[in-house]
Amino acid sequence: MPRDTSPSPGSQSSLREANRSRIVAAVKRFGGLTQVELAAATGLSTATVSTIVKELASAGVVETQTTSRSGRRALRVTIARQAGLVAGVHIGPRAMAVALGDLAHEVVVEQSLPLPADHRADTTLDRVALLIVDLLERVGVDLDGLLSVGVAMAAPVEPGTGLIAVRGPLRSWADVPVAQVLTKRLARPVHVDSDAGLGAVAEHGLGAGRDVQDILYVRLSYGTSAGVILGGRLHRGGSGAAGEIGHVQVSPAGPVCLCGNRGCLDTEVGESALLEIVRPALGEVTLRDVVRRAQQGDPGCTRVLTDAARRAGQVVAGVVTVLDPQRVVVGGELAQAGPGVVEALRESVHRHALPHRFAPVDVVAGELGPRAELLGALELARKETDVEGVAR
Ligand SMILES: [Zn+2]
């Protein structure tokens, strides 16, 4: 289990407060832990954990229930449900999804909706706000019971301004302060990050990367991007654009990319490039159609997607050589087309990355499928929620 990486327990005066925070942070991170697991995750003694859990339970911050682990009775600690719900939102070029979750990492309700191509930021954010209110009503919770909102955008987000850092498929969103706009509509704190980064957070915390500390989450979608987890933490970079592998130049004289540069990877494996390749055979179809046809065994669509994964793999191989992650986890719509896509990416990474004397890097399909980014958005909302503040 990854250890809590917050500072070591400090000296006398703040010790108790710091230990409380460490325990609450660990419960929030893992959803539910036994007291023994909490001690392992925080580095505190089981006696200290037991004392603090009692305090937190009587303050209504956490709940405890008796369970059995390996045949022994254990006390499982979760964040108290009456503490409220958080919302996660994923906004992509052609779909959006909203989920409500509790602080114990349970998804309470979720819904996704298709979006028109080139959807406008203001109307989509209106729909997001309405859908959140609608889902709250459906589970019988009023707006006061919503603690915070996490939003995963299909674009890198600059941490300082919360604006999209690189121009891309979400054309009308470039200058929209998403967090401020949604905060105004919902009167709740809203936090925004890139979907690749949040997909990485989710796969690291709950999915295919949960047993390692350094992962590269590759998202093969309408554009290609990656989330970088180093030492158990999301690495955003100076401008929030770390992992933007879709904009690595692969062909200096190639077509102009949406970002303004020439010959980026996305000009070869992004949505419009892939649709251009299938157009002579299939006419006007969407990327969703191509993925669906590949799932049904269509050889042409399968070939286009596996070739795209192979090409992306060359760029991923460069990142693997530089960062040396313990695992590459593959997600995004293209990875849903079938095992061939992940296989093609794996082969390509192994062929082009620095040959390792012992074993090539592990390249696996994500375990959370198309929900990784939405679950990551819920994680973002939970992480930003002051649970102790809520209970006071
Ligand atoms: Zn570009």
Side-chain angles (χ1 to χ4, degrees):
M1 176 188 310
R3 284 170 71 93
D4 180 6
T5 47
S6 55
S8 309
S11 60
Q12 296 305 328
S13 60
S14 60
L15 188 62
R16 206 176 185 78
E17 198 60 30
N19 288 347
R20 276 173 71 109
S21 304
R22 287 162 77 86
I23 287 178
V24 171
V27 177
K28 274 166 72 180
R29 172 149 186 224
F30 296 103
L33 291 173
T34 65
Q35 297 203 97
V36 174
E37 289 167 337
L38 259 176
T42 58
L44 299 170
S45 72
T46 45
T48 306
V49 168
S50 170
T51 308
I52 294 177
V53 164
K54 269 192 204 106
E55 283 173 20
L56 290 170
S58 61
V61 177
V62 301
E63 288 170 353
T64 57
Q65 63 193 106
T66 311
T67 61
S68 143
R69 283 283 160 96
S70 324
R72 299 175 61 180
R73 273 160 58 90
L75 204 61
R76 186 168 185 273
V77 185
T78 53
I79 298 291
R81 186 136 190 189
Q82 72 268 22
L85 297 178
V86 293
V89 180
H90 183 203
I91 297 171
R94 297 301 303 268
M96 70 174 193
V98 175
L100 299 179
D102 64 16
L103 295 171
H105 293 228
E106 290 291 328
V107 174
V108 177
V109 60
E110 64 184 284
Q111 188 173 339
S112 58
L113 294 172
L115 292 172
D118 270 331
H119 52 93
R120 289 179 48 84
D122 49 359
T123 46
T124 298
L125 288 172
D126 277 339
R127 294 179 71 185
V128 166
L130 286 172
L131 186 52
I132 289 175
V133 172
D134 186 43
L135 291 179
L136 283 167
E137 252 171 45
R138 225 184 282 176
V139 298
V141 174
D142 60 22
L143 197 51
D144 289 340
L146 180 67
L147 303 173
S148 66
V149 182
V151 182
M153 297 291 301
V157 175
E158 207 270 328
T161 59
L163 296 176
I164 287 176
V166 175
R167 285 178 194 280
L170 295 178
R171 268 176 277 228
S172 82
W173 293 71
D175 301 309
V176 179
V178 172
Q180 278 154 265
V181 173
L182 268 186
T183 300
K184 203 174 272 179
R185 287 188 178 44
L186 294 166
R188 282 292 169 278
V190 179
H191 310 276
V192 183
D193 214 326
S194 80
D195 61 357
L198 292 175
V201 167
E203 287 288 355
H204 174 248
L206 312 163
R210 62 183 175 276
D211 55 334
V212 288
Q213 290 293 284
D214 300 316
I215 69 165
L216 183 68
Y217 174 69
V218 175
R219 184 170 153 70
L220 303 174
S221 181
Y222 290 78
T224 315
S225 51
V228 183
I229 303 272
L230 295 176
R233 286 174 181 272
L234 178 63
H235 174 76
R236 295 185 174 82
S239 67
E244 280 303 295
I245 56 174
H247 299 288
V248 169
Q249 193 181 54
V250 292
S251 168
V256 173
C257 177
L258 290 172
C259 73
N261 215 335
R262 287 189 72 174
C264 294
L265 175 64
D266 272 352
T267 64
E268 296 191 10
V269 305
E271 178 195 19
S272 55
L274 299 180
L275 296 184
E276 192 65 40
I277 300 169
V278 299
R279 188 167 291 124
L282 303 178
E284 295 303 323
V285 293
T286 64
L287 191 59
R288 202 175 289 141
D289 296 329
V290 176
V291 170
R292 196 178 306 126
R293 281 170 187 252
Q295 285 166 342
Q296 292 161 355
D298 179 291
C301 291
T302 303
R303 176 68 187 272
V304 167
L305 298 181
T306 51
D307 283 352
R310 210 165 275 121
R311 185 65 162 134
Q314 292 178 309
V315 171
V316 173
V319 181
V320 164
T321 297
V322 173
L323 294 182
D324 190 19
Q326 290 159 290
R327 191 168 296 153
V328 174
V329 179
V330 190
E333 285 85 346
L334 272 54
Q336 313 309 319
V341 170
V342 177
E343 265 167 44
L345 187 104
R346 182 186 300 123
E347 262 174 39
S348 177
V349 169
H350 289 172
R351 175 191 284 259
H352 298 286
L354 179 68
H356 196 290
R357 273 185 60 215
F358 301 104
V361 66
D362 205 10
V363 179
V364 300
E367 286 181 9
L368 307 176
R371 295 168 77 223
E373 291 72 21
L374 186 60
L375 296 176
L378 280 172
E379 282 303 298
L380 174 66
R382 281 190 195 103
K383 192 165 66 65
E384 298 289 347
T385 301
D386 175 8
V387 180
E388 293 195 72
V390 169
R392 271 199 281 270

